[in-house]
Amino acid sequence: MTTVAPRISLQLYTVDKALAPDLDGGVARLAAIGFDTVEAFAFVGRAAQLRTAFDAHGISARTGHAFLVEESIPLPDGTVMTAPSYAETFAEASALGLEIVIDPFVGPDHWTTREGVERVAARLNAAAEEAAGHGLRVGYHNHDHELRPRIDGKPALQVLAEMLDPRVVLELDLYWASAAGIDLVPFIEELGDRIVAVHVKDGPMREGISTAQVPTDQTPAGQGDVQLADALAAASALEYAVIEFDGFDGEIFDGVEQSYRWLRATLAGSDATATTGVSA
């Protein structure tokens, strides 16, 4: 475990339906729970608006999701989104106060061959070079489809890690890694200081869980089958522990608060000497 506890954060996609009609009110609810750090998404073009709401409630966004690998992204409604340029993305990230810009999704077709993974690595490495000029790092966030395919006997995400510039980091989604059959602790230990963030997400584990049909029975952290506590303890370079729900049947702020309380207690128990980094 790190000598300074990782910051507890929240991927804002989790509460997007509440933030969309009332950004300030939603951010106020997060501050009341105890968050002082969040993970932004879709921040290009609205960094100033987000920064105003965050500043008003003592919150900062340290990490954020933005597309860095793909230039055209198919959307669920059948349309195609053109990703903003690196220049625009990193300028907005700097305005928001981010430290790390993380690509949240590269489709399954790119993870079945070494050539496909090489292309992803090349794009991330190029992004890291440009991001450095803005004082930023870049990273990649997984789902299950980067971990199911094997290349030379290794999960494709591990092969990616071996190809990346040292400046590129990983945000390991613990739920999706578990769904892909990964034994979390040895995998995290193998990747070492490449993993600087994790998504803390829980729920029942069973055959067939995938992003092709996202489950709606995810649970607050500590109430499902994902070995979250062991994984957090194994992540020796962890800077951010980011709560997220993809699908939750309950009241979302209640689920978020339960996850926050569990995560705060777990991190405090894992490293009693850590006195900074965990929200009050």
Side-chain angles (χ1 to χ4, degrees):
M1 195 72 184
T2 52
T3 56
V4 176
R7 287 183 174 271
I8 297 175
S9 183
L10 175 73
Q11 168 50 246
L12 290 183
Y13 175 81
T14 299
V15 293
D16 183 52
K17 290 182 180 178
L19 296 182
D22 184 8
L23 176 61
D24 186 76
V27 172
R29 293 186 69 176
L30 297 179
I33 289 171
F35 288 99
D36 64 9
T37 307
V38 295
E39 181 169 81
F41 83 104
F43 59 83
V44 178
R46 59 173 187 154
Q49 178 189 14
L50 291 171
R51 183 73 182 259
T52 297
F54 297 160
D55 287 350
H57 299 286
I59 285 177
S60 63
R62 302 299 185 93
T63 61
H65 282 189
F67 293 105
L68 301 171
V69 174
E70 299 289 45
E71 297 176 350
S72 298
I73 298 94
L75 299 178
D77 63 4
T79 62
V80 176
M81 181 188 89
T82 299
S85 67
Y86 287 169
E88 186 178 4
T89 295
F90 297 143
E92 290 280 284
S94 296
L96 189 52
L98 300 189
E99 297 173 357
I100 311 173
V101 179
I102 301 168
D103 191 304
F105 187 87
V106 176
D109 292 347
H110 297 278
W111 301 96
T112 59
T113 65
R114 176 171 288 274
E115 292 73 21
V117 176
E118 286 174 345
R119 175 183 173 274
V120 175
R123 289 285 293 168
L124 289 171
N125 291 342
E129 180 67 27
E130 186 158 343
H134 296 263
L136 296 164
R137 290 178 285 170
V138 303
Y140 186 75
H141 169 271
N142 68 282
H143 293 81
D144 59 305
H145 61 260
E146 300 94 340
L147 289 158
R148 295 186 192 276
R150 298 271 167 162
I151 298 172
D152 298 331
K154 300 176 183 178
L157 186 69
Q158 186 174 348
V159 175
L160 174 75
E162 295 169 355
M163 299 176 178
L164 292 175
D165 184 299
R167 293 173 292 187
V168 182
V169 300
L170 295 177
E171 178 178 66
L172 187 67
D173 190 303
L174 302 174
Y175 175 90
W176 289 117
S178 296
I182 295 296
D183 190 352
L184 291 178
V185 169
F187 187 72
I188 289 169
E189 291 175 343
E190 175 71 24
L191 291 178
D193 61 7
R194 184 72 73 173
I195 298 176
V196 304
V198 294
H199 269 197
V200 179
K201 186 185 304 177
D202 212 344
M205 283 289 112
R206 56 186 179 275
E207 290 295 323
I209 294 177
S210 79
T211 52
Q213 186 170 356
V214 176
T216 60
D217 61 353
Q218 290 174 354
T219 66
Q223 298 180 28
D225 297 331
V226 181
Q227 300 301 303
L228 295 177
D230 291 343
L232 289 164
S236 59
L238 194 62
E239 299 174 31
Y240 299 101
V242 185
I243 295 165
E244 186 186 40
F245 290 88
D246 299 306
F248 181 58
D249 287 333
E251 201 282 317
I252 192 60
F253 282 98
D254 178 59
V256 166
E257 183 165 8
Q258 289 185 60
S259 288
Y260 175 85
R261 300 301 171 196
W262 179 89
L263 183 54
R264 184 175 182 224
T266 298
L267 292 175
S270 296
D271 190 350
T273 65
T275 57
T276 62
V278 179
S279 305

